[in-house]
Short mmCIF file of all heavy atoms in Angstrom, two decimals:
data_model
loop_
_atom_site.label_atom_id
_atom_site.label_comp_id
_atom_site.label_asym_id
_atom_site.label_seq_id
_atom_site.Cartn_x
_atom_site.Cartn_y
_atom_site.Cartn_z
N MET A 10 99.55 -83.28 29.22
CA MET A 10 100.65 -82.36 28.97
C MET A 10 100.74 -82.19 27.44
O MET A 10 100.53 -83.03 26.64
CB MET A 10 101.95 -82.97 29.43
CG MET A 10 103.14 -82.11 29.19
SD MET A 10 104.72 -82.68 29.87
CE MET A 10 105.20 -83.75 28.56
N THR A 11 101.00 -80.93 27.06
CA THR A 11 101.17 -80.54 25.68
C THR A 11 102.44 -79.89 25.49
O THR A 11 102.88 -79.02 26.26
CB THR A 11 100.07 -79.58 25.16
OG1 THR A 11 98.77 -80.18 25.38
CG2 THR A 11 100.24 -79.13 23.78
N LEU A 12 103.20 -80.37 24.53
CA LEU A 12 104.51 -79.71 24.18
C LEU A 12 104.16 -78.51 23.29
O LEU A 12 103.22 -78.52 22.56
CB LEU A 12 105.39 -80.71 23.49
CG LEU A 12 105.69 -81.95 24.22
CD1 LEU A 12 106.30 -83.00 23.33
CD2 LEU A 12 106.62 -81.69 25.38
N ALA A 13 105.04 -77.49 23.34
CA ALA A 13 104.79 -76.26 22.56
C ALA A 13 106.02 -75.73 21.93
O ALA A 13 107.10 -75.91 22.47
CB ALA A 13 104.14 -75.19 23.48
N GLN A 14 105.85 -75.13 20.73
CA GLN A 14 106.95 -74.51 20.08
C GLN A 14 106.45 -73.12 19.64
O GLN A 14 105.42 -72.99 19.01
CB GLN A 14 107.39 -75.27 18.80
CG GLN A 14 108.47 -74.64 18.08
CD GLN A 14 108.88 -75.43 16.82
OE1 GLN A 14 108.29 -76.37 16.47
NE2 GLN A 14 110.01 -74.97 16.24
N ASN A 15 107.19 -72.11 20.08
CA ASN A 15 106.92 -70.72 19.63
C ASN A 15 107.77 -70.46 18.39
O ASN A 15 108.92 -70.79 18.40
CB ASN A 15 107.22 -69.74 20.72
CG ASN A 15 106.26 -69.84 21.91
OD1 ASN A 15 105.12 -69.36 21.75
ND2 ASN A 15 106.67 -70.37 23.03
N VAL A 16 107.10 -69.82 17.45
CA VAL A 16 107.71 -69.53 16.18
C VAL A 16 107.58 -68.03 15.85
O VAL A 16 106.93 -67.30 16.50
CB VAL A 16 107.15 -70.41 15.04
CG1 VAL A 16 107.44 -71.92 15.29
CG2 VAL A 16 105.70 -70.17 14.83
N SER A 17 108.26 -67.60 14.80
CA SER A 17 108.44 -66.18 14.52
C SER A 17 107.34 -65.48 13.67
O SER A 17 107.36 -64.33 13.54
CB SER A 17 109.74 -65.96 13.78
OG SER A 17 109.79 -66.71 12.64
N SER A 18 106.37 -66.31 13.16
CA SER A 18 105.37 -65.71 12.30
C SER A 18 104.20 -66.66 12.12
O SER A 18 104.29 -67.89 12.39
CB SER A 18 105.89 -65.28 10.96
OG SER A 18 106.12 -66.41 10.18
N ARG A 19 103.10 -66.11 11.68
CA ARG A 19 101.94 -66.92 11.33
C ARG A 19 102.28 -67.96 10.22
O ARG A 19 101.85 -69.07 10.28
CB ARG A 19 100.77 -66.07 10.86
CG ARG A 19 100.14 -65.28 12.03
CD ARG A 19 98.97 -64.47 11.46
NE ARG A 19 98.18 -63.91 12.53
CZ ARG A 19 98.32 -62.74 13.03
NH1 ARG A 19 99.21 -61.91 12.51
NH2 ARG A 19 97.56 -62.30 14.04
N TRP A 20 103.03 -67.51 9.27
CA TRP A 20 103.47 -68.34 8.11
C TRP A 20 104.13 -69.58 8.64
O TRP A 20 103.99 -70.70 8.18
CB TRP A 20 104.34 -67.54 7.18
CG TRP A 20 104.78 -68.39 6.01
CD1 TRP A 20 104.08 -68.54 4.82
CD2 TRP A 20 105.98 -69.16 5.92
NE1 TRP A 20 104.73 -69.43 4.02
CE2 TRP A 20 105.92 -69.77 4.68
CE3 TRP A 20 107.02 -69.36 6.73
CZ2 TRP A 20 106.99 -70.61 4.26
CZ3 TRP A 20 108.04 -70.22 6.33
CH2 TRP A 20 107.95 -70.80 5.10
N VAL A 21 105.08 -69.36 9.63
CA VAL A 21 105.84 -70.48 10.18
C VAL A 21 104.94 -71.50 10.93
O VAL A 21 105.14 -72.66 10.91
CB VAL A 21 107.02 -69.95 11.05
CG1 VAL A 21 107.76 -71.10 11.68
CG2 VAL A 21 107.92 -69.09 10.27
N VAL A 22 103.93 -70.98 11.59
CA VAL A 22 102.94 -71.88 12.25
C VAL A 22 102.27 -72.75 11.17
O VAL A 22 102.29 -74.01 11.37
CB VAL A 22 101.84 -71.06 13.00
CG1 VAL A 22 100.68 -71.93 13.43
CG2 VAL A 22 102.35 -70.29 14.16
N ASP A 23 101.84 -72.22 10.13
CA ASP A 23 101.17 -72.96 9.04
C ASP A 23 102.15 -73.99 8.48
O ASP A 23 101.78 -75.17 8.24
CB ASP A 23 100.65 -72.05 7.90
CG ASP A 23 99.43 -71.28 8.39
OD1 ASP A 23 98.72 -71.75 9.31
OD2 ASP A 23 99.21 -70.18 7.86
N ALA A 24 103.36 -73.58 8.21
CA ALA A 24 104.41 -74.44 7.62
C ALA A 24 104.74 -75.59 8.57
O ALA A 24 104.88 -76.77 8.15
CB ALA A 24 105.64 -73.65 7.34
N ALA A 25 104.84 -75.28 9.87
CA ALA A 25 105.19 -76.38 10.85
C ALA A 25 104.10 -77.36 10.96
O ALA A 25 104.33 -78.60 11.02
CB ALA A 25 105.46 -75.70 12.20
N LEU A 26 102.85 -76.89 10.97
CA LEU A 26 101.69 -77.86 11.01
C LEU A 26 101.66 -78.70 9.81
O LEU A 26 101.44 -79.96 9.87
CB LEU A 26 100.37 -77.09 11.19
CG LEU A 26 100.12 -76.39 12.58
CD1 LEU A 26 98.94 -75.54 12.49
CD2 LEU A 26 100.09 -77.37 13.67
N SER A 27 101.86 -78.12 8.61
CA SER A 27 101.86 -78.89 7.44
C SER A 27 103.00 -79.90 7.39
O SER A 27 102.88 -81.06 6.95
CB SER A 27 102.06 -77.88 6.17
OG SER A 27 102.12 -78.56 5.00
N GLN A 28 104.16 -79.53 7.84
CA GLN A 28 105.29 -80.46 7.89
C GLN A 28 105.03 -81.57 8.83
O GLN A 28 105.43 -82.74 8.59
CB GLN A 28 106.59 -79.68 8.24
CG GLN A 28 107.79 -80.52 8.18
CD GLN A 28 109.13 -79.80 8.49
OE1 GLN A 28 109.10 -78.65 8.97
NE2 GLN A 28 110.24 -80.38 8.21
N ALA A 29 104.41 -81.26 10.00
CA ALA A 29 104.12 -82.37 10.93
C ALA A 29 103.15 -83.38 10.35
O ALA A 29 103.38 -84.56 10.57
CB ALA A 29 103.49 -81.75 12.20
N VAL A 30 102.19 -82.88 9.63
CA VAL A 30 101.19 -83.79 9.03
C VAL A 30 101.85 -84.63 7.93
O VAL A 30 101.61 -85.84 7.82
CB VAL A 30 99.96 -83.03 8.51
CG1 VAL A 30 99.08 -83.90 7.65
CG2 VAL A 30 99.19 -82.44 9.66
N SER A 31 102.75 -83.99 7.22
CA SER A 31 103.53 -84.79 6.13
C SER A 31 104.46 -85.79 6.70
O SER A 31 104.76 -86.73 6.01
CB SER A 31 104.36 -83.71 5.29
OG SER A 31 103.55 -82.90 4.58
N ALA A 32 104.86 -85.63 7.92
CA ALA A 32 105.72 -86.60 8.65
C ALA A 32 104.95 -87.58 9.51
O ALA A 32 105.51 -88.03 10.49
CB ALA A 32 106.78 -85.88 9.43
N ALA A 33 103.71 -87.82 9.17
CA ALA A 33 102.87 -88.82 9.82
C ALA A 33 102.26 -88.34 11.14
O ALA A 33 101.71 -89.08 11.96
CB ALA A 33 103.66 -90.12 10.12
N GLY A 34 102.24 -86.99 11.40
CA GLY A 34 101.52 -86.41 12.47
C GLY A 34 100.03 -86.30 12.12
O GLY A 34 99.63 -86.47 10.97
N THR A 35 99.25 -85.98 13.09
CA THR A 35 97.76 -85.80 12.86
C THR A 35 97.39 -84.40 13.32
O THR A 35 97.67 -84.01 14.48
CB THR A 35 96.98 -86.83 13.72
OG1 THR A 35 97.37 -88.17 13.35
CG2 THR A 35 95.49 -86.70 13.52
N LEU A 36 96.77 -83.68 12.49
CA LEU A 36 96.28 -82.32 12.75
C LEU A 36 95.13 -82.47 13.79
O LEU A 36 94.13 -83.13 13.45
CB LEU A 36 95.86 -81.63 11.50
CG LEU A 36 95.46 -80.10 11.69
CD1 LEU A 36 96.68 -79.33 12.06
CD2 LEU A 36 94.86 -79.67 10.34
N LEU A 37 95.23 -81.80 14.86
CA LEU A 37 94.20 -81.78 15.89
C LEU A 37 93.30 -80.47 15.81
O LEU A 37 92.13 -80.56 15.97
CB LEU A 37 94.76 -81.80 17.31
CG LEU A 37 95.47 -83.04 17.77
CD1 LEU A 37 96.04 -82.85 19.10
CD2 LEU A 37 94.49 -84.24 17.71
N LYS A 38 93.94 -79.39 15.45
CA LYS A 38 93.21 -78.13 15.37
C LYS A 38 93.93 -77.26 14.37
O LYS A 38 95.17 -76.96 14.51
CB LYS A 38 93.14 -77.39 16.71
CG LYS A 38 92.40 -76.06 16.63
CD LYS A 38 92.44 -75.34 17.96
CE LYS A 38 91.69 -74.06 17.96
NZ LYS A 38 92.05 -73.07 16.93
N ARG A 39 93.26 -76.85 13.36
CA ARG A 39 93.85 -75.93 12.37
C ARG A 39 94.28 -74.64 13.04
O ARG A 39 93.65 -74.18 14.01
CB ARG A 39 92.87 -75.57 11.26
CG ARG A 39 92.53 -76.72 10.31
CD ARG A 39 91.64 -76.24 9.24
NE ARG A 39 91.22 -77.38 8.41
CZ ARG A 39 91.85 -77.84 7.40
NH1 ARG A 39 93.02 -77.29 7.02
NH2 ARG A 39 91.40 -78.83 6.67
N ALA A 40 95.30 -74.00 12.49
CA ALA A 40 95.79 -72.73 13.08
C ALA A 40 94.64 -71.70 12.97
O ALA A 40 93.92 -71.64 11.98
CB ALA A 40 97.01 -72.27 12.40
N SER A 41 94.55 -70.90 14.04
CA SER A 41 93.55 -69.83 14.05
C SER A 41 94.09 -68.67 14.84
O SER A 41 95.02 -68.82 15.67
CB SER A 41 92.22 -70.32 14.60
OG SER A 41 92.44 -70.76 16.02
N GLU A 42 93.45 -67.53 14.64
CA GLU A 42 93.86 -66.28 15.42
C GLU A 42 93.18 -66.21 16.75
O GLU A 42 92.09 -66.79 16.93
CB GLU A 42 93.48 -65.06 14.58
CG GLU A 42 94.26 -64.94 13.33
CD GLU A 42 93.98 -63.68 12.60
OE1 GLU A 42 93.64 -62.60 13.27
OE2 GLU A 42 94.19 -63.59 11.35
N THR A 43 93.88 -65.60 17.66
CA THR A 43 93.27 -65.32 18.94
C THR A 43 92.76 -63.96 19.04
O THR A 43 93.01 -63.13 18.15
CB THR A 43 94.44 -65.48 20.10
OG1 THR A 43 95.37 -64.47 19.92
CG2 THR A 43 95.10 -66.83 20.01
N ASP A 44 92.01 -63.69 20.10
CA ASP A 44 91.51 -62.28 20.29
C ASP A 44 92.58 -61.24 20.51
O ASP A 44 92.37 -60.07 20.21
CB ASP A 44 90.54 -62.26 21.51
CG ASP A 44 89.27 -63.12 21.27
OD1 ASP A 44 88.89 -63.42 20.09
OD2 ASP A 44 88.67 -63.45 22.30
N TRP A 45 93.70 -61.63 21.04
CA TRP A 45 94.83 -60.72 21.33
C TRP A 45 95.86 -60.66 20.25
O TRP A 45 96.96 -60.00 20.42
CB TRP A 45 95.44 -61.10 22.71
CG TRP A 45 95.75 -62.52 22.81
CD1 TRP A 45 94.93 -63.50 23.37
CD2 TRP A 45 96.92 -63.23 22.38
NE1 TRP A 45 95.64 -64.74 23.27
CE2 TRP A 45 96.80 -64.59 22.69
CE3 TRP A 45 98.10 -62.77 21.80
CZ2 TRP A 45 97.76 -65.50 22.45
CZ3 TRP A 45 99.11 -63.75 21.54
CH2 TRP A 45 98.91 -65.06 21.85
N GLY A 46 95.63 -61.27 19.08
CA GLY A 46 96.56 -61.15 17.93
C GLY A 46 97.50 -62.33 17.71
O GLY A 46 98.38 -62.29 16.81
N GLY A 47 97.48 -63.33 18.58
CA GLY A 47 98.27 -64.51 18.41
C GLY A 47 97.76 -65.46 17.35
O GLY A 47 96.65 -65.20 16.75
N TYR A 48 98.40 -66.51 17.11
CA TYR A 48 97.99 -67.49 16.04
C TYR A 48 98.60 -68.86 16.47
O TYR A 48 99.79 -68.93 16.81
CB TYR A 48 98.58 -67.04 14.70
CG TYR A 48 98.12 -67.72 13.49
CD1 TYR A 48 96.84 -67.59 13.03
CD2 TYR A 48 99.03 -68.56 12.74
CE1 TYR A 48 96.44 -68.23 11.87
CE2 TYR A 48 98.59 -69.16 11.58
CZ TYR A 48 97.28 -69.04 11.15
OH TYR A 48 96.87 -69.65 10.01
N PHE A 49 97.76 -69.90 16.47
CA PHE A 49 98.19 -71.22 16.97
C PHE A 49 97.40 -72.33 16.46
O PHE A 49 96.32 -72.14 15.97
CB PHE A 49 98.19 -71.29 18.46
CG PHE A 49 96.80 -71.32 19.06
CD1 PHE A 49 96.27 -72.50 19.49
CD2 PHE A 49 96.05 -70.19 19.12
CE1 PHE A 49 95.00 -72.59 19.97
CE2 PHE A 49 94.79 -70.18 19.59
CZ PHE A 49 94.21 -71.43 20.07
N GLY A 50 98.00 -73.54 16.46
CA GLY A 50 97.33 -74.75 16.03
C GLY A 50 97.96 -75.96 16.78
O GLY A 50 98.98 -75.80 17.43
N TYR A 51 97.32 -77.10 16.65
CA TYR A 51 97.78 -78.28 17.41
C TYR A 51 97.94 -79.50 16.46
O TYR A 51 97.08 -79.64 15.58
CB TYR A 51 96.79 -78.64 18.48
CG TYR A 51 96.76 -77.70 19.58
CD1 TYR A 51 95.81 -76.68 19.62
CD2 TYR A 51 97.58 -77.80 20.70
CE1 TYR A 51 95.75 -75.78 20.65
CE2 TYR A 51 97.52 -76.86 21.74
CZ TYR A 51 96.57 -75.84 21.67
OH TYR A 51 96.60 -74.96 22.72
N PHE A 52 98.85 -80.34 16.72
CA PHE A 52 98.98 -81.63 16.11
C PHE A 52 99.47 -82.68 17.04
O PHE A 52 99.99 -82.33 18.13
CB PHE A 52 99.93 -81.53 14.89
CG PHE A 52 101.38 -81.44 15.22
CD1 PHE A 52 102.23 -82.54 15.39
CD2 PHE A 52 101.93 -80.10 15.43
CE1 PHE A 52 103.61 -82.39 15.74
CE2 PHE A 52 103.29 -79.99 15.74
CZ PHE A 52 104.10 -81.09 15.91
N THR A 53 99.37 -83.99 16.69
CA THR A 53 99.96 -84.98 17.51
C THR A 53 101.07 -85.60 16.62
O THR A 53 100.95 -85.68 15.43
CB THR A 53 99.00 -86.15 17.89
OG1 THR A 53 98.42 -86.67 16.77
CG2 THR A 53 97.95 -85.63 18.84
N ASP A 54 102.19 -85.96 17.33
CA ASP A 54 103.30 -86.60 16.58
C ASP A 54 102.94 -88.08 16.37
O ASP A 54 101.84 -88.53 16.87
CB ASP A 54 104.65 -86.34 17.34
CG ASP A 54 104.70 -87.01 18.71
OD1 ASP A 54 103.97 -88.02 18.99
OD2 ASP A 54 105.48 -86.48 19.55
N PRO A 55 103.75 -88.83 15.63
CA PRO A 55 103.36 -90.25 15.32
C PRO A 55 103.20 -91.11 16.59
O PRO A 55 102.58 -92.15 16.61
CB PRO A 55 104.57 -90.70 14.53
CG PRO A 55 105.03 -89.49 13.82
CD PRO A 55 104.94 -88.41 14.86
N ASP A 56 103.85 -90.65 17.76
CA ASP A 56 103.67 -91.44 19.02
C ASP A 56 102.43 -91.01 19.75
O ASP A 56 102.15 -91.46 20.90
CB ASP A 56 104.91 -91.23 19.92
CG ASP A 56 106.13 -91.95 19.33
OD1 ASP A 56 105.93 -92.99 18.68
OD2 ASP A 56 107.28 -91.36 19.48
N GLY A 57 101.69 -89.93 19.25
CA GLY A 57 100.43 -89.57 19.91
C GLY A 57 100.62 -88.42 20.89
O GLY A 57 99.64 -88.02 21.56
N HIS A 58 101.82 -87.77 20.93
CA HIS A 58 101.98 -86.64 21.86
C HIS A 58 101.51 -85.38 21.23
O HIS A 58 101.82 -85.05 20.11
CB HIS A 58 103.50 -86.51 22.20
CG HIS A 58 104.12 -87.66 22.84
ND1 HIS A 58 104.94 -88.49 22.14
CD2 HIS A 58 103.94 -88.22 24.07
CE1 HIS A 58 105.33 -89.51 22.91
NE2 HIS A 58 104.73 -89.34 24.10
N PRO A 59 100.68 -84.61 21.94
CA PRO A 59 100.11 -83.37 21.39
C PRO A 59 101.14 -82.23 21.48
O PRO A 59 101.94 -82.09 22.42
CB PRO A 59 98.95 -83.08 22.29
CG PRO A 59 99.26 -83.73 23.55
CD PRO A 59 100.05 -84.98 23.25
N TRP A 60 101.18 -81.43 20.35
CA TRP A 60 102.05 -80.29 20.29
C TRP A 60 101.20 -79.08 19.92
O TRP A 60 100.26 -79.14 19.09
CB TRP A 60 103.04 -80.50 19.09
CG TRP A 60 104.13 -81.43 19.40
CD1 TRP A 60 104.12 -82.83 19.37
CD2 TRP A 60 105.54 -81.03 19.78
NE1 TRP A 60 105.36 -83.35 19.68
CE2 TRP A 60 106.21 -82.27 19.99
CE3 TRP A 60 106.16 -79.85 19.94
CZ2 TRP A 60 107.53 -82.27 20.30
CZ3 TRP A 60 107.45 -79.86 20.28
CH2 TRP A 60 108.17 -81.10 20.48
N GLU A 61 101.61 -77.94 20.41
CA GLU A 61 101.10 -76.68 20.01
C GLU A 61 102.20 -75.93 19.26
O GLU A 61 103.31 -75.88 19.71
CB GLU A 61 100.62 -75.81 21.23
CG GLU A 61 100.21 -74.41 20.86
CD GLU A 61 99.97 -73.53 22.07
OE1 GLU A 61 100.75 -73.58 23.00
OE2 GLU A 61 99.00 -72.83 22.08
N VAL A 62 101.86 -75.30 18.17
CA VAL A 62 102.74 -74.43 17.43
C VAL A 62 102.08 -73.09 17.50
O VAL A 62 100.96 -72.89 17.11
CB VAL A 62 102.93 -74.85 16.01
CG1 VAL A 62 103.92 -73.96 15.28
CG2 VAL A 62 103.43 -76.28 15.86
N ALA A 63 102.82 -72.06 18.02
CA ALA A 63 102.19 -70.75 18.28
C ALA A 63 103.13 -69.58 17.87
O ALA A 63 104.26 -69.68 17.97
CB ALA A 63 101.92 -70.66 19.80
N TYR A 64 102.43 -68.55 17.44
CA TYR A 64 103.05 -67.24 17.15
C TYR A 64 102.42 -66.22 18.10
O TYR A 64 101.22 -66.13 18.24
CB TYR A 64 102.81 -66.82 15.74
CG TYR A 64 103.11 -65.37 15.52
CD1 TYR A 64 104.48 -64.85 15.58
CD2 TYR A 64 102.17 -64.42 15.14
CE1 TYR A 64 104.77 -63.56 15.43
CE2 TYR A 64 102.47 -63.08 14.96
CZ TYR A 64 103.72 -62.67 15.09
OH TYR A 64 104.01 -61.37 14.90
N ASN A 65 103.27 -65.52 18.86
CA ASN A 65 102.81 -64.52 19.75
C ASN A 65 103.45 -63.13 19.41
O ASN A 65 104.70 -63.07 19.56
CB ASN A 65 103.13 -64.84 21.22
CG ASN A 65 102.64 -63.87 22.24
OD1 ASN A 65 102.36 -62.72 21.83
ND2 ASN A 65 102.46 -64.31 23.43
N PRO A 66 102.71 -62.27 18.81
CA PRO A 66 103.32 -60.99 18.37
C PRO A 66 103.83 -60.12 19.51
O PRO A 66 104.56 -59.15 19.30
CB PRO A 66 102.24 -60.27 17.59
CG PRO A 66 100.95 -60.82 18.24
CD PRO A 66 101.25 -62.23 18.58
N LEU A 67 103.47 -60.50 20.75
CA LEU A 67 103.87 -59.68 21.92
C LEU A 67 105.22 -60.13 22.47
O LEU A 67 105.82 -59.42 23.28
CB LEU A 67 102.80 -59.74 23.00
CG LEU A 67 101.36 -59.32 22.56
CD1 LEU A 67 100.43 -59.61 23.70
CD2 LEU A 67 101.34 -57.94 22.15
N PHE A 68 105.68 -61.27 22.06
CA PHE A 68 107.01 -61.79 22.44
C PHE A 68 107.90 -61.88 21.26
O PHE A 68 107.56 -62.15 20.19
CB PHE A 68 106.86 -63.22 23.04
CG PHE A 68 106.06 -63.34 24.24
CD1 PHE A 68 105.51 -64.61 24.61
CD2 PHE A 68 105.81 -62.31 25.11
CE1 PHE A 68 104.75 -64.72 25.78
CE2 PHE A 68 105.05 -62.45 26.23
CZ PHE A 68 104.52 -63.69 26.57
N GLU A 69 109.16 -61.51 21.53
CA GLU A 69 110.17 -61.51 20.46
C GLU A 69 111.07 -62.78 20.53
O GLU A 69 111.48 -63.11 21.65
CB GLU A 69 111.05 -60.28 20.56
CG GLU A 69 111.95 -60.12 19.43
CD GLU A 69 112.73 -58.77 19.46
OE1 GLU A 69 112.29 -57.88 20.26
OE2 GLU A 69 113.77 -58.67 18.77
N LEU A 70 111.38 -63.40 19.44
CA LEU A 70 112.22 -64.47 19.34
C LEU A 70 113.59 -63.98 18.86
O LEU A 70 113.62 -63.29 17.88
CB LEU A 70 111.78 -65.62 18.42
CG LEU A 70 110.55 -66.34 18.85
CD1 LEU A 70 110.13 -67.37 17.74
CD2 LEU A 70 110.78 -67.13 20.14
N ARG A 71 114.62 -64.26 19.64
CA ARG A 71 115.99 -63.84 19.29
C ARG A 71 116.92 -65.02 19.26
O ARG A 71 117.05 -65.65 20.31
CB ARG A 71 116.55 -62.76 20.20
CG ARG A 71 115.86 -61.45 20.10
CD ARG A 71 116.56 -60.37 20.93
NE ARG A 71 115.75 -59.15 20.93
CZ ARG A 71 115.90 -58.17 21.72
NH1 ARG A 71 116.86 -58.26 22.63
NH2 ARG A 71 115.15 -57.11 21.68
N GLN A 72 117.46 -65.34 18.17
CA GLN A 72 118.36 -66.49 18.04
C GLN A 72 117.73 -67.74 18.59
O GLN A 72 118.33 -68.51 19.37
CB GLN A 72 119.68 -66.18 18.61
CG GLN A 72 120.38 -65.07 17.97
CD GLN A 72 121.65 -64.73 18.59
OE1 GLN A 72 122.06 -65.16 19.67
NE2 GLN A 72 122.56 -63.96 17.87
N GLY A 73 116.41 -67.96 18.38
CA GLY A 73 115.69 -69.14 18.86
C GLY A 73 115.27 -69.07 20.28
O GLY A 73 114.78 -70.07 20.80
N LYS A 74 115.48 -68.00 21.00
CA LYS A 74 115.11 -67.83 22.40
C LYS A 74 113.95 -66.89 22.54
O LYS A 74 113.96 -65.78 21.88
CB LYS A 74 116.29 -67.38 23.24
CG LYS A 74 117.41 -68.37 23.27
CD LYS A 74 118.57 -67.80 24.14
CE LYS A 74 119.71 -68.78 24.11
NZ LYS A 74 120.80 -68.23 24.92
N LEU A 75 113.01 -67.15 23.34
CA LEU A 75 111.88 -66.30 23.61
C LEU A 75 112.29 -65.22 24.58
O LEU A 75 112.80 -65.45 25.59
CB LEU A 75 110.73 -67.17 24.20
CG LEU A 75 109.38 -66.45 24.38
CD1 LEU A 75 108.83 -65.97 23.07
CD2 LEU A 75 108.48 -67.44 25.11
N GLU A 76 112.08 -63.93 24.13
CA GLU A 76 112.40 -62.79 25.01
C GLU A 76 111.08 -62.26 25.57
O GLU A 76 110.22 -61.85 24.83
CB GLU A 76 113.07 -61.64 24.13
CG GLU A 76 114.44 -62.03 23.64
CD GLU A 76 115.50 -62.14 24.65
OE1 GLU A 76 115.37 -61.38 25.66
OE2 GLU A 76 116.42 -62.89 24.51
N LEU A 77 110.85 -62.39 26.80
CA LEU A 77 109.71 -61.94 27.48
C LEU A 77 109.80 -60.42 27.80
O LEU A 77 110.85 -59.96 28.07
CB LEU A 77 109.40 -62.74 28.76
CG LEU A 77 109.24 -64.21 28.62
CD1 LEU A 77 109.13 -64.84 30.05
CD2 LEU A 77 108.06 -64.55 27.80
N PRO A 78 108.66 -59.73 27.68
CA PRO A 78 108.72 -58.30 27.98
C PRO A 78 109.00 -58.02 29.44
O PRO A 78 108.70 -58.84 30.31
CB PRO A 78 107.32 -57.78 27.62
CG PRO A 78 106.45 -58.99 27.52
CD PRO A 78 107.30 -60.15 27.31
N ASP A 79 109.65 -56.89 29.76
CA ASP A 79 109.97 -56.54 31.22
C ASP A 79 108.75 -56.19 31.94
O ASP A 79 107.80 -55.72 31.45
CB ASP A 79 110.97 -55.35 31.16
CG ASP A 79 112.32 -55.83 30.69
OD1 ASP A 79 112.71 -56.95 30.74
OD2 ASP A 79 112.99 -54.91 30.11
#
C-alpha cells in the first residue's frame, strides 16, 4: 500500500519531497513528469511507509479537496 498526497503544483511536489527527506524520510524516486502532464515522486517516512506526492493538472484542488472532472 502507498499513501498519496495530491498537491497544487510541480513546485509543491518538489518542496514536499525535500521537506520529507529533511524530516528523516528517504527519497525513493525523484519527481518526474508523466506522459500526460502530471508530476510525481516517492519517499518513505521514518517508519518505512511509502508515500507518493503528485500534481495532476487535470484535477483541481479547492480548499484542500480534490475536484474530479464530470
Side-chain angles (χ1 to χ4, degrees):
M10 180 175 85
T11 300
L12 302 166
Q14 179 179 8
N15 288 288
V16 297
S17 59
S18 72
R19 288 180 167 97
W20 180 87
V21 178
V22 171
D23 291 332
L26 292 173
S27 178
Q28 185 176 12
V30 170
S31 294
T35 301
L36 187 65
L37 294 177
K38 181 184 182 304
R39 291 184 186 272
S41 62
E42 293 188 25
T43 66
D44 293 338
W45 47 268
Y48 190 70
F49 70 101
Y51 292 93
F52 70 93
T53 57
D54 63 27
D56 292 325
H58 301 107
W60 284 80
E61 175 187 42
V62 181
Y64 165 67
N65 183 339
L67 306 175
F68 295 160
E69 187 175 345
L70 291 176
R71 290 188 187 165
Q72 297 179 347
K74 294 180 182 178
L75 184 63
E76 296 287 330
L77 300 175
D79 292 331

